[in-house]
Amino acid sequence: YNPSIGEEEHKYHNPDHDIYEQHIRVNDLTTYMLVNNVLDLQDITLFLSGDYALSQNIDATETRNWNDGKGFEPLKDDGKKMPFSGDFDGNNYSIRGLFIKRSQEESVGMFGECGKTDISHNVIENVILEDFNITGARFVGSLAGFAANSDLFNIKVVSPKIKGLAVVGGLIGTT
């Protein structure tokens, strides 16, 4: 489903709450908030424990011009030391052209860090990552720089350009 856009103009943010959880559970059925474009993808940072699904292929080539040349901001919260802990279903759609250039930073990837707990893992599945250009210092990968307690299924990486000083992988930097 598509959440409504709040006063802050981010659809995953509710100005009345610090942490906004707008997903519905009915008899253990999880509904996913739709990610319709690259701006929605970046806004996942506002609610890292939400459940998301791609609604279509995403062209992320514009991220090359974001943040004074640093590009997309990896999905994590360094200040609160919070990884992405929700679920993400790509619905077999692709994300193409994501650009991140953060050569002085650790845990660099679309999800900078992802994971949940030893007992309850988060799930990332059914997504194609194409033509990603990712640069970081340590723990660098297309999907995630660092992943712990994450279940990853059916993820395809096509033509990545991944650079880092140490602990670099095509899919994940380290787990």
Side-chain angles (χ1 to χ4, degrees):
Y1 70 94
N2 276 311
S4 60
I5 295 176
E7 291 176 17
E8 300 291 323
E9 307 228 357
H10 300 290
K11 73 185 207 178
Y12 307 131
H13 176 76
N14 180 335
D16 296 329
H17 299 91
D18 290 333
I19 297 176
Y20 180 44
E21 185 165 347
Q22 184 190 8
H23 64 250
I24 303 164
R25 293 187 187 272
V26 179
N27 298 328
D28 295 325
L29 174 68
T30 301
T31 57
Y32 292 83
M33 293 179 281
L34 293 177
V35 176
N36 301 306
N37 55 51
V38 70
L39 296 174
D40 287 353
L41 186 67
Q42 184 66 82
D43 282 348
I44 290 173
T45 299
L46 300 170
F47 180 42
L48 292 167
S49 61
D51 298 322
Y52 301 93
L54 293 182
S55 66
Q56 60 189 344
N57 293 324
I58 303 290
D59 181 354
T61 55
E62 71 180 68
T63 57
R64 180 173 290 282
N65 302 315
W66 289 10
N67 297 312
D68 298 321
K70 289 184 175 182
F72 188 85
E73 184 176 329
L75 301 174
K76 64 181 178 173
D77 185 335
D78 284 331
K80 295 180 183 176
K81 303 225 182 278
M82 289 178 58
F84 172 75
S85 60
D87 292 339
F88 184 90
D89 189 336
N91 283 321
N92 295 311
Y93 289 117
S94 67
I95 301 170
R96 184 179 56 80
L98 191 78
F99 178 85
I100 302 172
K101 186 176 183 182
R102 297 174 182 267
S103 54
Q104 303 300 312
E105 296 181 27
E106 293 188 358
S107 297
V108 178
M110 184 173 81
F111 296 101
E113 296 178 5
C114 60
K116 210 164 183 178
T117 68
D118 289 340
I119 297 169
S120 175
H121 293 198
N122 69 322
V123 176
I124 300 173
E125 61 187 344
N126 306 320
V127 65
I128 303 162
L129 310 176
E130 294 183 70
D131 302 320
F132 276 31
N133 188 330
I134 312 286
T135 302
R138 286 181 13 163
F139 312 123
V140 184
S142 293
L143 181 71
F146 178 81
N149 302 316
S150 295
D151 295 332
L152 310 175
F153 303 102
N154 193 29
I155 300 170
K156 185 176 182 181
V157 179
V158 179
S159 302
K161 293 179 182 149
I162 312 299
K163 299 176 194 167
L165 298 175
V167 195
V168 178
L171 181 63
I172 295 174
T174 192
T175 170

